[in-house]
Amino acid sequence: KILIIGACGQIGSELTFKLRAVYGDENVIASDISYSNLDIVNTGLFEIVDAQDYVSVKVCVEKYNINTIYLMAAMLSATGEKYPMKAWDLNMNSLFHVLNLAKAKFIKKIFWPSSIAVFGPTTPTENTPQYTTMEPSTVYGITKQVGERWCEYYNQKYGVDVRSLRYPGIISWKTQPGGGTTDYAVDIYHKAITDKKYDCFLTENTKLPMMFMDDAIKATVDIMSAAADVVKIRSSYNLSAISFTPKEVAQSIKRQIPEFEISYTPDYRQAIADSWPKSINDDSARQDWNWKHTFNLEDITKEMLFQLGKKYGI
Ligand code: VAH
């Protein structure tokens, strides 16, 4: 049985739909701190779980005889800069509880997401390697870097089967943009449909690694269903698809909606974006468990505008 913690979030919700389809509704328990996504709550097994409360997680694990946990609850980069201690507490307490449940043999397998946010201003920015300097300058990035260290420690010291991916910015249409710096690349599509214009909080040439949600879900299912011995990296795997700038994504939208206009008003999130790589090398993931992405920018723009056009009835 699978428990998804943070199932109402951007990745958690799409992971819930996918895992229900792959393993059967009765084998997937979605959970979150509140009933914040009724598409998830009303379509399958759902429990309120406080990821920061060990007993809350353990009670759910025992109630459903869970053996695998996907821990998708976290406070993202932009929000984390507003509430540093809340970001540290949520991101770290939740990870320790799940790692300790596995160490105590209550569960067998864990997925925990890391991020390109583990890299910082001193990291090589192009084709960033799997192993390199990592001095993250955001609270979110710090929690991901230290979380990776703990995952590797629990794997090597206690044999915990924890697997992790350094997600790039993820683009999807089913949930509203959250507190992420890369979420400009989600919001721009919503605004292209509703307003035919978008004021971007990053400058036009801010190049960032990005991925369509379907590719991110595929990578997550692939690494979790791979044989344990091919998952050689137990900190977290670099994962890459494409990279683009706000100007490039605006141009791809203009090809579908010629009257679309973009303007730029950089804010505090520019410094976060400037601390991250422009492109990522994911050779290790491609070699170890045959990862490869599918969606390029044109595919993403067509799918996002098609789905959001339907969603907004335009
Ligand atoms: C964020 N979407 O912007 C997340 C992600 C790499 C970016 O970690 O914080």
Side-chain angles (χ1 to χ4, degrees):
K1 298 273 178 122
I2 294 169
L3 172 62
I4 299 162
I5 298 176
C8 292
Q10 179 193 20
I11 306 173
S13 57
E14 305 231 21
L15 209 44
T16 299
F17 292 124
K18 178 73 176 177
L19 295 172
R20 282 176 180 165
V22 171
Y23 298 102
D25 290 1
E26 70 284 358
N27 293 315
V28 178
I29 292 79
S31 76
D32 212 303
I33 189 74
S34 68
Y35 298 103
S36 53
N37 183 332
L38 296 182
D39 290 345
I40 293 295
V41 173
N42 294 329
T43 54
L45 295 170
F46 184 86
E47 293 283 346
I48 294 291
V49 168
D50 176 353
Q52 294 198 64
D53 175 351
Y54 181 78
V55 172
S56 172
V57 180
K58 187 165 178 287
V59 159
C60 188
V61 163
E62 291 179 326
K63 177 176 176 183
Y64 291 96
N65 193 20
I66 299 294
N67 62 27
T68 301
I69 291 183
Y70 289 73
L71 173 54
M72 307 309 289
M75 190 180 288
L76 297 183
S77 60
T79 313
E81 291 308 294
K82 290 180 185 164
Y83 311 103
M85 287 300 105
K86 281 186 183 299
W88 175 266
D89 289 344
L90 170 57
N91 295 7
M92 298 317 301
N93 292 335
S94 57
L95 177 59
F96 283 127
H97 293 338
V98 172
L99 287 172
N100 286 325
L101 279 167
K103 179 185 171 197
K105 309 287 184 205
F106 288 106
I107 58 171
K108 287 192 178 52
K109 213 168 171 185
I110 299 167
F111 178 78
W112 178 75
S114 184
S115 160
I116 60 163
V118 287
F119 302 116
T122 55
T123 305
T125 59
E126 289 289 358
N127 202 33
T128 301
Q130 176 70 42
Y131 300 105
T132 184
T133 307
M134 296 159 65
E135 297 177 313
S137 53
T138 63
V139 174
Y140 174 74
I142 292 165
T143 69
K144 292 303 180 184
Q145 181 182 34
V146 70
E148 289 188 8
R149 303 271 54 81
W150 278 109
C151 287
E152 191 175 66
Y153 184 89
Y154 268 66
N155 174 259
Q156 289 176 349
K157 285 281 186 304
Y158 310 121
V160 168
D161 187 359
V162 52
R163 306 173 188 204
S164 180
L165 298 171
R166 290 172 182 161
Y167 288 130
I170 294 180
I171 300 168
S172 64
W173 53 271
K174 291 198 183 93
T175 55
Q176 286 297 321
T181 301
T182 58
D183 286 331
Y184 90 84
V186 175
D187 207 14
I188 191 168
Y189 289 108
H190 288 260
K191 295 293 189 308
I193 295 290
T194 58
D195 304 354
K196 300 227 183 315
K197 65 179 189 316
Y198 178 61
D199 186 40
C200 185
F201 55 75
L202 299 180
T203 55
E204 67 177 1
N205 295 320
T206 306
K207 183 176 168 190
L208 287 170
M210 297 281 186
M211 178 179 285
F212 192 52
M213 177 63 78
D214 294 27
D215 273 335
I217 297 299
K218 179 180 185 305
T220 309
V221 171
D222 286 358
I223 192 173
M224 285 297 275
S225 45
D229 61 346
V230 306
V231 184
K232 297 182 179 61
I233 295 174
R234 294 300 179 139
S235 50
S236 189
Y237 277 89
N238 278 8
L239 193 70
S240 174
I242 57 176
S243 293
F244 58 72
T245 65
K247 185 176 181 180
E248 288 166 334
V249 62
Q251 284 165 340
S252 85
I253 291 172
K254 274 181 189 290
R255 282 193 281 280
Q256 309 299 324
I257 306 175
E259 64 272 32
F260 175 71
E261 290 299 327
I262 185 167
S263 54
Y264 301 95
T265 313
D267 66 15
Y268 71 102
R269 289 167 284 193
Q270 185 64 44
I272 296 173
D274 288 342
S275 74
W276 289 347
K278 298 178 187 317
S279 62
I280 300 286
N281 178 297
D282 62 358
D283 287 349
S284 299
R286 290 173 191 260
Q287 284 151 19
D288 291 2
W289 41 276
N290 302 319
W291 157 247
K292 66 178 174 12
H293 78 279
T294 304
F295 290 81
N296 63 33
L297 180 54
E298 280 316 286
D299 304 329
I300 295 172
T301 294
K302 285 180 184 142
E303 180 66 5
M304 287 293 284
L305 294 178
F306 172 68
Q307 295 292 352
L308 289 171
K310 272 199 304 187
K311 185 171 175 172
Y312 288 110
I314 296 173

